[in-house]
Amino acid sequence: MEELTPRRKRLVLATLCATMFMAMLDNVVVNNALPRIGRQLHADVGALQWVVEGYSLVYAALLLTGGTLGDRYGRRRIFLAGLALFTAGSAAAALSWSTGQLIAARTLQGLGAALLTPGSLSILRHVFTDERERARAVGVWSGVSALGLALGPVIGGPTVEAFGWSGVFWINVPVGVAGLLLAARALPEFATRARRLDLAGQALSALGLGTLVYALIEGPTRGWTDTGVAAAACAAAVLLPLFVLVELRVTDPMLDLHFFRDPGLLAVAVSGFTVSFGMFGAAFFLPLLMQDVMGWAPSDAGFAGLPMTAMIVVAAPLAGALTARHGPRLPLVTGLTLCAASLTGLSVYGEHAHYQQYLWVLLAMGLGMGMTFTPVSITVMQRVDPIRAGMASATVNTLRELGGVVGVVVLGAVLTSRLTSALTASLDRLGVPPDGRRLPTGPATGTGPGTALPPALREAVDAAFVDGLHLALRCAAAALAVAAVLVAALLRPAGADGRTRPAGTTGPAVGRPAAAEHAPSVRSG
């Protein structure tokens, strides 16, 4: 087995961090460019929605496929292919002259991200073999990945103002090209296991997840009784259970369902899904509060989140160190509890709150989110057979992606329902007749800071939106609190050394034969 030098290990970590930062940044930075894309490409709201969601749909549908292809054909090879596709998709998006071409380029980006994301974590699993060294590396990797998500709104606004909407895609190209050159030199290749490709599982998972995400994305806007939405939901309800049945019967499945029998892996799956459900779902609506109700400029709203970003960067490596020393229970439960407390705290502030009043909430949100990212990744690497690491990483990332989509849908439904009832009651008190209740449509509350509404009516609309947002935040906080209790129970302390171990686990990792506890040989790429 080739022993990698410390310098080469640092190059590997730098390569993976740079490419993951680029992929995570692209998840959110495009939102800042949507208004200008709409004006210059003459795109309606539906087309702009698919500029964002075309990426998410393909990414979520093919993550599992990307993970298993890496396990089958080599993580380095699939990672490089994914990075090349993502970079090419970015260039194609920047050069687009129509919304159709832009949406197609975004789907190509989603395909590339689905191939490179699972491989990134599994490569770390093999390169950093020492447990403490690996925990530090995953802490840095998780912090940089989270930083990409957090900095998106901050970077996007100035980039669009300086270089136009295509600038948010051009910034990926030099990073992607440099990453390809560095990865081709620095990344090692790993021994792979000869196995039959589970074609039925691949097709069913892609189609099932794709139709599920499509229904969740389109349902709130087109209506759940819409023919296309209902058909997609019914297809997902048939395809996903069929996928589970197929995976239980085949001898070499793409998704080892024993993954969910391990209480430790089940705990991190619950944590990943719920954090995305609560935090990313709530974060979707916070810019609407700041910009459409409080009247903040987009760049100001982006800069307001910098304290949260700073705490994520601090917390991610700290969580890695805590996980290496004490196991995942302490940082996971602490992070989930902080997330629940921060959303509860945020739900007490209204449209007239000052930034200094709820600054502590942003700090707690960042600390909580940062504490949950790293333990999930470390636990997956510790508990899963190294040759199935890509599958395990893809499973957790798929659950995170679905958690974010479900969070936006569910919390959005809660917000809309409460907003409607509160606004109806307010309009009744104001004596507004039924034929005078049709408000201008804006991006959030139907108002927007520039909408000319009578002061009393504007105040009623804003108050109803805040009331609905508060209820949605409390629902998200309750889900996070329940998840914290469940994770604490699944990851109860055991062992004479006091380290936290998954409840009921004493044997080798999932899918790992007792004689194969060590990682496979690493050979030069």
Side-chain angles (χ1 to χ4, degrees):
M1 181 181 73
E2 178 190 2
E3 183 70 24
L4 298 183
T5 64
R7 180 179 180 275
R8 189 171 178 188
K9 288 183 178 181
R10 288 193 296 269
L11 283 176
V12 170
L13 180 59
T15 302
L16 299 180
C17 286
T19 53
M20 285 302 296
F21 178 85
M22 178 183 66
M24 294 301 103
L25 181 72
D26 198 74
N27 269 324
V28 291
V29 73
V30 70
N31 293 335
N32 299 85
L34 290 179
R36 195 166 295 188
I37 291 173
R39 290 193 299 270
Q40 295 187 2
L41 298 185
H42 308 290
D44 58 19
V45 174
L48 290 178
Q49 185 179 23
W50 276 104
V51 170
V52 177
E53 293 164 354
Y55 178 96
S56 299
L57 178 64
V58 175
Y59 180 66
L62 296 179
L63 261 173
L64 276 176
T65 299
T68 53
L69 287 177
D71 292 338
R72 171 65 177 82
Y73 295 109
R75 298 178 182 92
R76 178 179 182 272
R77 183 180 303 162
I78 298 301
F79 179 89
L80 290 171
L83 183 54
L85 288 172
F86 187 90
T87 304
S90 298
L95 294 171
S96 297
W97 59 82
S98 68
T99 52
Q101 183 183 0
L102 180 57
I103 293 169
R106 291 285 287 163
T107 62
L108 183 60
Q109 284 185 301
L111 172 59
L115 295 178
L116 72 87
T117 302
S120 184
L121 183 59
S122 58
I123 288 170
L124 282 180
R125 165 70 177 82
H126 288 79
V127 170
F128 295 92
T129 53
D130 177 76
E131 185 175 333
R132 292 185 183 276
E133 182 186 39
R134 183 189 304 148
R136 288 193 297 269
V138 173
V140 173
W141 178 83
S142 299
V144 171
S145 300
L147 185 63
L149 289 172
L151 286 181
V154 179
I155 294 174
T159 300
V160 173
E161 292 174 7
F163 304 106
W165 66 263
S166 62
V168 300
F169 299 111
W170 279 126
I171 58 176
N172 293 330
V173 176
V175 177
V177 171
L180 280 169
L181 296 174
L182 188 58
R185 177 182 178 184
L187 293 187
E189 186 57 274
F190 310 96
T192 57
R193 180 165 66 103
R195 46 185 297 217
R196 296 182 61 184
L197 199 60
D198 180 13
L199 294 178
Q202 302 277 359
L204 289 171
S205 68
L207 292 173
L209 290 170
T211 52
L212 174 63
V213 173
Y214 176 86
L216 290 173
I217 289 172
E218 290 293 299
T221 54
R222 294 173 57 179
W224 297 102
T225 57
D226 176 82
T227 303
V229 173
C234 291
V238 173
L239 292 169
L240 290 176
L242 186 58
F243 167 69
V244 172
L245 292 176
V246 168
E247 297 306 282
L248 288 172
R249 295 177 64 88
V250 298
T251 57
D252 202 358
M254 68 171 291
L255 174 61
D256 187 353
L257 294 174
H258 289 85
F259 180 97
F260 299 103
R261 295 184 183 180
D262 184 308
L265 295 175
L266 180 59
V268 298
V270 168
S271 175
F273 180 89
T274 312
V275 168
S276 291
F277 173 90
M279 303 306 290
F280 295 151
F284 181 84
F285 300 104
L286 292 181
L288 305 180
L289 172 67
M290 291 180 175
Q291 296 179 42
D292 290 347
V293 177
M294 295 181 171
W296 289 31
S299 57
D300 291 336
F303 284 117
L306 285 178
M308 181 173 66
T309 301
M311 292 307 298
I312 291 175
V313 174
V314 170
L318 174 62
L322 288 173
T323 304
R325 181 176 293 272
H326 302 290
R329 187 175 192 256
L330 175 62
L332 277 180
V333 174
T334 301
L336 287 165
T337 303
L338 283 170
C339 288
S342 63
L343 293 187
T344 302
L346 191 60
S347 71
V348 305
Y349 296 107
E351 64 269 33
H352 302 299
H354 296 289
Y355 182 69
Q356 294 81 359
Q357 292 178 284
Y358 57 85
L359 177 61
W360 72 271
V361 172
L362 299 177
L363 295 172
M365 288 174 67
L367 183 60
M369 293 173 67
M371 292 289 283
T372 61
F373 292 145
T374 310
V376 170
S377 300
I378 292 176
T379 303
V380 167
M381 291 191 296
Q382 288 177 338
R383 298 297 307 165
V384 176
D385 183 347
I387 58 178
R388 305 302 296 272
M391 174 275 298
S393 174
T395 301
V396 172
N397 280 309
T398 300
L399 289 172
R400 282 173 168 164
E401 189 74 13
L402 289 176
V405 174
V406 173
V408 171
V409 171
V410 172
L411 299 182
V414 171
L415 187 155
T416 302
S417 176
R418 185 61 168 262
L419 183 153
T420 302
S421 61
L423 184 58
T424 300
S426 296
L427 295 179
D428 287 339
R429 288 194 301 270
L430 293 172
V432 179
D435 58 356
R437 296 185 179 186
R438 184 175 179 83
L439 300 175
T441 56
T445 65
T447 61
T451 304
L453 289 177
L457 188 56
R458 170 63 184 264
E459 184 177 347
V461 173
D462 288 349
F465 177 78
V466 172
D467 191 32
L469 178 61
H470 284 174
L471 181 60
L473 291 172
R474 289 166 188 155
C475 291
L480 288 160
V482 170
V485 174
L486 181 58
V487 169
L490 289 169
L491 295 173
R492 58 177 179 264
D497 60 356
R499 284 175 55 87
T500 301
R501 291 189 176 85
T505 60
T506 56
V510 173
R512 180 184 301 178
E517 285 288 327
H518 299 288
S521 299
V522 180
R523 62 177 184 269
S524 174

